[in-house]
């Protein structure tokens, strides 16, 4: 009987043949070998399907699932139903890993069984001469719900993205991606903040995000992308009810959500955002909370509070057009 792998790597694939070989090889040539690579072909039509079938024939660690196109969330959900590892991570098919990334981090998780999530560095990759915007935080451990939420709510130093993290299997029990939505990973932060006992940030390894693809999911923030991010951050914002002492963080989080809705409306002026505006009215911080907050943009928050969200947004969007 084939031994269960320690680490499962989930890769959704849709028409990325130009980058796929590099991505898969960066995983299969890792110094760490006790892994399975679950590749979900999400209805590719460019030859990606045939390429991953070849890898599956040549390396027994590669598991392939073919399905009709349903989007990246549906593809990842299919893999979550079958993965076998004690740990799980995600790699997108146009991205790749430095060779030592997996070994050092699986070893750390095995030596520290109380760490549920491990995050490692990433950078935006254009070509061999342009690896830019390296996101490298000092190594640190965050323990308990309060500390983890405080480090995660803003996306720093614990980042929202899933692809720079390795998770213990149990963290994903009963969790799936929201199919049909673009910012599928950001909204899950609210779940993981409540489940994780410890999160470790590592300075080792590297995840390379390919950033010169015009069809990349993150290439352009469309109206739908802005609204998905609004909804994700709105979900995270609900957790502030459990942390009444985080006034500054709560006000900053509201500022972020309000700014996202303004950007959405700016992207698509004719769109109906009345539901989202009502949500903002419902969660708007009090004048007292705004006044008590530190390092926040108080003037425009006071204006939004006094004028009302709808009136403020209307006037602010007119100002942006000037």
């Amino acid at each position: 009987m084939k031994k269960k792998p320690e680490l499962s790597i989930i890769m959704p694939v849709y028409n990325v043949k130009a980058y796929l070989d590099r991505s898969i090889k960066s995983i299969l040539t890792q110094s760490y070998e006790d892994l399975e690579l679950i590749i979900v072909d999400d209805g590719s039509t460019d030859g990606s399907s045939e390429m991953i079938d070849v890898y599956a024939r040549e390396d027994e660690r590669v598991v392939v699932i073919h399905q009709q196109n349903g989007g990246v969330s549906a593809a990842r959900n299919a893999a979550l139903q079958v993965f076998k590892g004690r740990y799980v991570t995600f790699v997108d098919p146009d991205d790749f890993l430095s060779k030592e990334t997996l070994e050092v981090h699986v070893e750390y998780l095995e030596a520290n069984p109380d760490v549920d999530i491990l995050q490692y560095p990433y950078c935006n990759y254009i070509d061999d001469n342009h690896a830019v915007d390296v996101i490298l935080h000092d190594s640190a451990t965050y323990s308990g719900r309060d500390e983890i939420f405080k480090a995660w709510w803003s996306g720093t130093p614990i980042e929202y993205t899933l692809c720079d993290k390795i998770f213990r299997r149990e963290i994903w029990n009963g969790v799936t991606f929201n199919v049909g939505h673009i910012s599928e990973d950001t909204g899950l932060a609210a779940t993981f903040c409540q489940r994780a006992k410890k999160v470790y940030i590592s300075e080792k390894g590297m995840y390379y995000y390919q950033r010169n693809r015009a069809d990349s999911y993150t290439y352009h923030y469309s109206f739908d992308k802005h609204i998905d991010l609004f909804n994700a951050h709105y979900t995270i914002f609900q957790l502030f009810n459990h942390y009444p002492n985080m006034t500054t963080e709560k006000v900053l989080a509201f500022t972020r959500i309000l700014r996202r809705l303004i950007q959405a409306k700016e992207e698509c002026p004719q769109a109906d955002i009345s539901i989202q505006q009502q949500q903002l009215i419902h969660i708007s911080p009090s004048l007292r909370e705004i006044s008590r907050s530190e390092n926040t943009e108080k003037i425009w928050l006071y204006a939004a509070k006094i004028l009302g969200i709808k009136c403020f947004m209307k006037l602010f969007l007119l100002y942006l057009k000037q």
Side-chain angles (χ1 to χ4, degrees), residues 205-223:
M206 185 64 67
Y207 186 102
Y208 292 92
Y209 284 88
Q210 184 66 51
R211 281 297 174 265
N212 64 346
R213 286 184 57 211
D215 60 339
S216 172
Y217 283 108
T218 56
Y219 184 76
H220 175 68
Y221 276 29
S222 64
F223 173 81

Side-chain angles (χ1 to χ4, degrees), residues 136-200:
L136 175 61
H137 300 289
D138 293 337
S139 60
T141 301
Y142 296 91
S143 304
R145 289 184 178 182
D146 288 37
E147 196 171 284
I148 291 171
F149 180 66
K150 196 166 186 177
W152 205 331
W153 72 268
S154 66
T156 183
I158 304 178
E159 308 285 337
Y160 286 127
T161 181
L162 300 180
C163 289
D164 63 348
K165 294 178 178 62
I166 301 175
F167 302 83
R168 288 194 186 276
R169 180 186 188 93
E170 293 76 17
I171 288 290
W172 284 89
N173 285 345
V175 178
T176 56
F177 290 92
N178 196 357
V179 176
H181 292 266
I182 303 168
S183 303
E184 68 284 346
D185 48 1
T186 302
L188 291 177
T191 297
F192 298 137
C193 281
Q194 299 298 292
R195 289 192 174 194
K197 297 184 294 294
K198 281 189 179 181
V199 177
Y200 175 69

Side-chain angles (χ1 to χ4, degrees), residues 10 31 50 85 108 126 139 161 173 184 252 259:
I10 293 174
S31 56
E50 292 76 12
Y108 182 90
I126 298 175
S139 60
T161 181
N173 285 345
E184 68 284 346
L252 284 169
R259 183 182 290 113

